[in-house]
């Protein structure tokens, strides 16, 4: 992939634009059902509570060995915790900078509650609503299903995008496959607690934050 060919950016939200780890930590230590169990939990202990599954490559509530499905339901059902994922620093400024340089930008956030996630995104990303297109996709039974692949392909047709001019910026390893299988280019963000890519995907560009992604794109001479 040559970054100079890129015209369209699909941003994953959790772990890319917004800090889902922050939300998970405060959910475990603050939710009435779990706060006693996790009183005294330290930030760096999050991967001990939520073991990282290789195909995910990042923290997920559902990987908790005993209560994963229940935790995920409780998290999604309580707006106080579900919405408690602040944007990472400089996200709004970076999105505006890329818009000024002519990039078309979208979210591509997978969720089990599209209505709740869309409402959250419309609120937290309101400062860039004049150019950022909010897209959410309904997860299937498994995190690594074809939902994001199918929705990406639908968006290419809906918005008249060439997938070869498109990147998906995501932290989850299974979504790197989604980008590739949809015809777009994968870009990985390494938020805290992410694990390394498998050997067969080691060619994918990785960045520490959205500012680094922007520098990579803009440094290509656009």
């Amino acid at each position: 992939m040559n970054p100079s060919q890129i015209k369209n950016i699909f941003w994953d939200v959790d772990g890319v634009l917004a800090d889902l780890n922050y939300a998970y930590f405060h959910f475990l230590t603050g939710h009435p059902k779990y706060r006693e169990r996790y009183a005294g939990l330290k930030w760096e202990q999050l991967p001990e509570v939520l073991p990282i599954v290789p195909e995910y490559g990042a923290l997920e509530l559902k990987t908790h060995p005993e209560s994963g499905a229940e935790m995920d339901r409780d998290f999604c059902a309580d707006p106080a915790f579900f919405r408690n994922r602040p944007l990472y620093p400089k996200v709004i400024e970076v999105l505006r900078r890329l818009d000024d340089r002519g990039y078309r930008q979208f979210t591509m956030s997978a969720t089990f509650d599209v209505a709740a996630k869309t409402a959250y995104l419309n609120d937290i990303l309101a400062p860039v609503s004049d150019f950022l297109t909010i897209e959410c996709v309904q997860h299937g039974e498994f995190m690594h299903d074809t939902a994001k692949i199918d929705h990406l392909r639908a968006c290419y047709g809906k918005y008249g995008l060439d997938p070869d001019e498109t990147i998906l910026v995501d932290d989850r390893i299974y979504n790197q496959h989604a980008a590739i299988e949809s015809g777009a280019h994968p870009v990985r963000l390494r938020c805290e607690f992410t694990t390394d890519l498998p050997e067969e995907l080691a060619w994918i560009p990785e960045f520490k934050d959205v500012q680094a992604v922007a520098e990579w794109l803009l440094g290509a001479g656009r």
Side-chain angles (χ1 to χ4, degrees), residues 168-220:
L168 170 67
V169 185
D170 209 304
D171 63 319
R172 268 56 175 170
I173 290 174
Y174 58 84
N175 283 330
Q176 309 307 315
H177 292 286
I180 296 166
E181 292 181 40
S182 75
H185 300 282
V187 172
R188 190 173 187 226
L189 215 70
R190 293 296 301 265
C191 65
E192 194 166 7
F193 306 125
T194 50
T195 56
D196 292 341
L197 288 164
E199 185 176 352
E200 66 271 18
L201 296 178
W203 54 271
I204 295 174
E206 292 187 305
F207 301 96
K208 64 177 182 177
D209 53 35
V210 296
Q211 297 175 78
V213 175
E215 294 302 327
W216 173 69
L217 288 169
L218 298 175

Side-chain angles (χ1 to χ4, degrees), residues 27-28 30-38 70-71 74:
F27 169 76
L28 292 170
H31 191 281
K33 191 183 290 186
Y34 307 106
R35 63 190 178 200
E36 184 174 347
R37 189 191 318 182
Y38 294 109
E70 181 182 8
M71 284 181 171
D74 291 337

Side-chain angles (χ1 to χ4, degrees), residues 8 10 104-108 132-136 151-162:
N8 317 301
F10 282 90
R104 294 185 69 180
Q105 298 180 79
F106 308 80
T107 65
M108 181 51 64
L132 180 69
T133 301
I134 303 295
E135 288 286 347
C136 285
H151 201 64
L152 281 166
R153 288 173 175 159
C155 285
Y156 303 153
K158 180 179 179 180
Y159 298 109
L161 309 177
D162 182 345

